[in-house]
Amino acid sequence: MRIAHHEDRAVLVSPDGTTAADLATASAGLFDADPALLYPRWPELVAWYDEWEPVWDVPVRREALGCPSPRPRQIFAIGLNYAAHADETGLGRPEGLPPVFTKFASSLTGADVVVDLPEGDIDWEVEVVAILGYGGRDLTKADAWSAVAGLSVGQDLSERARQLAGPAPQFSLWKSFAGFAPVGPWLVTPDELVNPDDLRLSCTVNDEVVQDGRTRHLISSIPSTIAELSRVVELYPGDVIFTGTPDGVGMGRTPPRYLAAGDVLVSRVEGIGEIRQVLR
């Protein structure tokens, strides 16, 4: 199943991503048009979808795609979760669960957007984003995949100069400018993916490949991360988890390279799709 936030409504997306079905209409009002209201009813939605006969009658407009979970109660982001990325930053490889921070909700946006660059050194980080369909505490690693509604493509845009200044790095604030958390183009349920534990993710700047990795190289896998988070905090349906980025970011280059007005940033995840940001 593929679900998108399209023209401010929840839609089911066809396998080729070109057409959709309005969920409220297709379900005769059983489910709300608001995508945020789907996650607390995720088991019902899955059961209904398994019996639904698809009719794809809504053309998908990329510019109308919003974040699949538009109002998450919590946004988690995992830093330094690939060894090669930890090495390139000079911050060292983590032991146990890598650093956890947030991206504030006002930075969330959809798949294909224009992002206004603030002052500073703006860097890219392609990520697989997990969106939860179940919540709770003390989830086991074995049960963690069942808590995931689906996966999406994300970009953890970052302003490095202020992030790394001061007596200690401050991740959350300087990764939360408007448009700094694009997620999309839709959510894809894990059963649609050949191997959700081994997905290729990549990023280009002006058609040049700058990142190319696989999620099998995560230090803390997606189920491990969910289990560890749930030992500390209660997780909720619709929560968003940025799971980490592979090496190839701008700050790790010699000399460092950062985004500039006019750059086009495209992020891709195997089996899910791509998102596109134009910087200005």
Side-chain angles (χ1 to χ4, degrees):
M1 177 167 53
R2 295 169 180 247
I3 289 185
H5 176 193
H6 183 259
E7 296 182 337
D8 294 325
R9 296 179 67 86
V11 300
L12 300 159
V13 180
S14 65
D16 67 4
T18 61
T19 53
D22 184 86
L23 180 56
T25 302
S27 68
L30 179 62
F31 297 102
D32 199 277
D34 184 348
L37 300 182
L38 301 181
Y39 297 101
R41 300 180 62 192
W42 194 255
E44 297 173 70
L45 176 58
V46 171
W48 172 86
Y49 180 81
D50 287 342
E51 301 297 324
W52 177 59
E53 294 293 334
V55 177
W56 311 113
D57 55 1
V58 177
V60 172
R61 297 190 305 112
R62 298 275 308 187
E63 67 275 12
L65 291 167
C67 176
S69 182
R71 297 191 304 281
R73 292 181 69 170
Q74 300 176 116
I75 302 172
F76 301 94
I78 311 302
L80 309 178
N81 203 14
Y82 291 79
H85 172 59
D87 292 345
E88 72 178 347
T89 66
L91 297 174
R93 298 185 182 186
E95 297 182 7
L97 181 66
V100 180
F101 57 96
T102 192
K103 290 175 78 74
F104 294 106
S106 61
S107 65
L108 279 177
T109 189
D112 293 3
V113 294
V114 175
V115 178
D116 290 318
L117 291 173
E119 184 178 344
D121 300 330
I122 315 305
D123 207 346
W124 57 83
E125 295 189 11
V126 62
E127 311 210 6
V128 173
V129 171
I131 299 175
L132 300 187
Y134 297 82
R137 290 184 181 270
D138 297 319
L139 303 177
T140 67
K141 180 180 176 181
D143 291 337
W145 267 123
S146 65
V148 176
L151 302 179
S152 201
V153 185
Q155 253 294 336
D156 175 17
L157 289 163
S158 310
E159 198 288 281
R160 299 296 195 193
R162 284 168 285 187
Q163 175 195 339
L164 300 174
Q170 184 173 183
F171 281 57
S172 299
L173 187 62
W174 305 114
K175 290 171 168 277
S176 293
F177 286 96
F180 268 37
V183 178
W186 33 70
L187 169 155
V188 177
T189 52
D191 62 288
E192 295 275 342
L193 303 167
V194 174
N195 183 356
D197 286 301
D198 184 19
L199 300 174
R200 183 182 182 184
L201 65 167
S202 62
C203 175
T204 63
V205 177
N206 303 329
D207 296 324
E208 176 190 348
V209 176
V210 291
Q211 290 184 278
D212 192 354
R214 301 198 71 93
T215 58
R216 69 170 179 259
H217 299 305
L218 283 164
I219 293 172
S220 177
S221 68
I222 292 173
S224 294
T225 296
I226 291 170
E228 288 295 325
L229 290 173
S230 75
R231 292 179 187 175
V232 180
V233 300
E234 183 162 358
L235 301 176
Y236 298 99
D239 281 356
V240 170
I241 304 173
F242 285 76
T243 62
T245 196
D247 61 303
V249 301
M251 70 173 289
R253 295 169 180 266
T254 304
R257 173 183 173 184
Y258 297 110
L259 294 167
D263 285 346
V264 177
L265 180 66
V266 178
S267 306
R268 300 178 177 90
V269 176
E270 174 186 11
I272 300 174
E274 68 179 39
I275 60 176
R276 175 187 177 95
Q277 286 72 56
V278 176
L279 292 308
R280 70 179 181 188

